[in-house]
Amino acid sequence: MRDNKNSKMTIIKGITISFLFAGSTVVLAKDDSANLTGCAKKACEVNHQLLTAKRQGNSHQVVGLNKALNNTNEYCTQNGLKAELQQKIDDTNSEIEEYKTGLKKAKRQGKHDKVKKYQQKLNDETKQLKQLID
């Protein structure tokens, strides 16, 4: 019975290592996962971060990224990704509106340093929104 458990664990470890190496190959072959989409892209990005953390010897980050990779592989769905992206877009739009309000207020008050600060934040958020939409 004990040998059977050891055999199962060996098989599971082998499969896990195979997935990691396969993911590594995908990351290296795709270089930044440019041609992947959806959950495959997300898994590839997490795997890339995992490999970087391993190379840097960051064991705490490796543990967290292993968990993230497992969760991505198990729970990731296209609808979930769309909902997550839409939430980020909505949050960014809210930030943009707040910065526009702050910018108008700073202009009315003649506070040039705040105008500059709000304009920069507005530009950054607008750029981020464009990236999210793309």
Side-chain angles (χ1 to χ4, degrees), residues 47-122:
N47 199 27
H48 180 69
Q49 292 173 350
L50 177 62
L51 292 172
T52 301
K54 283 181 180 180
R55 273 186 248 133
Q56 294 173 349
N58 190 338
S59 59
H60 293 292
Q61 191 175 19
V62 167
V63 170
L65 288 168
N66 272 323
K67 189 180 289 188
L69 184 59
N70 289 336
N71 286 340
T72 299
N73 290 333
E74 189 168 342
Y75 300 112
C76 184
T77 64
Q78 292 300 103
N79 288 337
L81 288 176
K82 286 178 185 177
E84 185 179 312
L85 179 60
Q86 187 60 53
Q87 183 61 49
K88 287 180 183 178
I89 289 171
D90 293 345
D91 291 345
T92 303
N93 276 324
S94 294
E95 291 289 321
I96 287 172
E97 289 305 313
E98 286 179 29
Y99 292 140
K100 283 181 179 179
T101 302
L103 180 61
K104 287 178 187 176
K105 184 177 177 183
K107 282 182 178 179
R108 278 195 312 268
Q109 295 174 346
K111 296 183 178 182
H112 300 292
D113 56 330
K114 284 194 175 187
V115 168
K116 190 175 179 180
K117 180 181 94 171
Y118 280 117
Q119 189 61 56
Q120 182 60 47
K121 287 184 177 186
L122 186 58

